[in-house]
């Protein structure tokens, strides 16, 4: 952190030479001098008093200036707290990781959200939002938050996909450990002999390593469970003796993603959904305050991705490429917003890509300029989406708000979608950290969600597994603990 250089206040100049100063000379010789006039003595006293007052005023002004300038520099460049706040009621750190699915960055301003803004005001916020991993879909991003790994490394490369080795299909109900690579936070916590509790999170139901999805501490997903019940269950964990409270908890809400898909990001339904999420955050805060542990508990509130509007005119049909190349539906593993194609063996992958791009760039395919097709190895490196056999060899990046379909139909659609390039601002979500190690009122630059894993392990003071986050990242966000 740079510090502003303080401007030096010019000193008062010396008084100009005055003939009266000759009267101030002191001679020790015995030469006789006539008595000094009384006016000269008064003038001498006056000058001394004036000089003293002037110097005192200058010193006082300088002190006030430097003090106020230093205080201003401190308040504008550093957090109010320089060290983490000590725990008062709990015997160990506790992190509650809250996800509001599809909470696009900016939704927090759609309506009055006093509870979310209380966390922001007294905590740390990613000033322009949290950056999801690509593809900006629910399962890949939730598992990246939990593992600190990009999808190519944790294995959940889409909400639905096919394993090219054995032909098995993954869906959002697949709980076999073979799909879920890496080490999620609840497993890391269990590896240290500590307790974790998950109230819904993709991957949390998988029995893997030291994590057995224990009864009462691992809820099997059921979207019909009221949000209030989810919050109250998490709060009930704090009714146990301090030593038995889980050190890590997850809490998941489907909204406002559910509404976003149906009506897009700008409908009043989104406003209502955001207000409901804010009420749930308020319920959580109030419950923690009632138990006297709110200031001890770390709450990290995130989303998994953003949302953008889609309408019927924003469509690209693969059948329109037939003049250049046929793309049978059997080749396509996903259409939108991530186009994934796996041709059968015997086809030249580079030839398929070249012919598709030729047709898309011909000007004869409706919205063809809104889709760019790549060999996965040639995707922009910033997407980190090539190092897995599960990723199909041909990937199409779709322009924001557009969708790909096999062929035209009479079906009408105008809703919302996500999954696009994570460089689009509409795909950003929120990050808010509130707790003993988060500075109050601090804004930090946007960062990718793979950094959250190391953030949580640092707060819990446990060693995490290898991941794609940077080990130094927590030092840029968290307050240091005061040495004893």
């Amino acid at each position: 952190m740079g510090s502003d250089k303080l401007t030096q206040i010019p000193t008062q100049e010396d008084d100009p030479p005055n003939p009266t100063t000759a009267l101030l000379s002191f001679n020790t010789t015995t030469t006789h001098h006539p008595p000094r006039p009384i006016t000269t003595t008064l003038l001498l006293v006056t000058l001394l008093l004036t000089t003293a007052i002037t110097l005192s005023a200058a010193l006082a002004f300088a002190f006030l200036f430097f003090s106020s300038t230093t205080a201003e520099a401190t308040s504008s460049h550093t957090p109010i707290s320089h060290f983490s706040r000590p725990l008062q009621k709990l015997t160990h750190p506790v992190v509650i990781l809250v996800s509001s699915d599809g909470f696009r960055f900016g939704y927090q301003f759609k309506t009055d959200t006093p509870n979310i803004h209380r966390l922001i005001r007294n905590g740390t916020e990613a000033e322009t939002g949290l950056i999801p991993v690509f593809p900006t879909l629910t399962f890949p991003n939730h598992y990246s938050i939990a593992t600190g790994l990009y999808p190519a490394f944790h294995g959940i490369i889409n909400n639905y996909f096919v394993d090219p080795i054995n032909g098995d299909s993954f869906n959002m109900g697949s709980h076999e450990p073979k799909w879920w690579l890496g080490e999620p936070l609840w497993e890391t916590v269990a590896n240290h002999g500590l307790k974790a509790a998950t109230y819904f999170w993709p991957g949390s139901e998988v029995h893997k390593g030291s994590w057995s999805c224990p009864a009462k501490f691992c809820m099997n997903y059921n979207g019909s469970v009221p949000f209030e019940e989810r919050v109250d269950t998490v709060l009930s964990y704090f009714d146990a003796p301090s030593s038995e409270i889980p050190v890590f908890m997850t809490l998941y809400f489907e909204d406002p993603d559910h509404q976003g898909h149906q009506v897009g990001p700008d409908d009043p339904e989104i406003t209502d959904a955001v207000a409901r999420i804010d009420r749930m955050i308020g319920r959580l805060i109030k419950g923690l305050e009632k138990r006297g542990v709110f200031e001890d508990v770390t709450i990290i509130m995130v989303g998994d991705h953003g949302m953008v509007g889609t309408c019927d005119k924003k469509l690209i049909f693969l059948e329109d490429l037939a003049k250049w190349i046929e793309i049978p539906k059997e080749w396509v593993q996903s259409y939108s917003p991530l186009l994934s194609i796996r041709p059968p063996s015997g086809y030249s992958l580079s030839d398929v890509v070249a012919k598709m791009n030729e047709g898309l760039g011909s000007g004869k395919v409706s919205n063809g300029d809104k889709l760019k097709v790549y060999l996965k190895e040639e995707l922009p490196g910033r997407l980190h989406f090539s190092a897995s056999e599960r990723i199909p060899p041909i990937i199409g990046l779709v322009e924001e708000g557009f969708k790909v379909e096999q062929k035209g139909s009479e079906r009408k659609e105008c809703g919302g979608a996500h999954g696009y390039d994570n460089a689009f601002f509409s795909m950003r979500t929120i990050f808010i950290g509130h707790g003993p190690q988060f500075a109050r009122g601090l804004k930090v630059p946007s960062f990718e969600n793979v950094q959250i894993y190391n953030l949580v392990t640092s707060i819990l003071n446990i060693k995490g597994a290898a991941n794609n986050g940077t080990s130094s990242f927590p030092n840029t966000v968290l307050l240091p603990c005061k040495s004893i």
Side-chain angles (χ1 to χ4, degrees), residues 173-188:
S174 298
H175 296 145
E176 299 86 357
K178 68 178 182 179
W179 298 111
W180 305 84
L181 311 178
E183 184 180 291
L185 283 162
W186 45 86
E187 184 180 346
T188 300

Side-chain angles (χ1 to χ4, degrees), residues 251-287:
L251 180 58
Y252 170 80
F253 304 114
E254 292 85 354
D255 292 354
D257 182 72
H258 174 71
Q259 295 81 0
H261 281 291
Q262 294 180 332
V263 298
D266 301 315
D267 192 271
E269 282 190 41
I270 295 295
T271 304
D272 294 340
V274 169
R276 184 186 183 196
I277 293 298
D278 186 73
R279 289 195 298 272
M280 294 306 104
I281 297 300
R283 191 182 187 95
L284 179 63
I285 292 173
K286 184 176 180 180

Side-chain angles (χ1 to χ4, degrees), residues 365-385:
V365 174
S366 179
N367 296 320
D369 61 333
K370 307 302 181 184
L371 171 63
K372 174 71 173 176
V373 183
Y374 297 83
L375 291 171
K376 68 178 181 181
E377 294 83 2
E378 296 176 355
L379 283 166
R382 61 182 174 77
L383 298 176
H384 306 281
F385 200 65

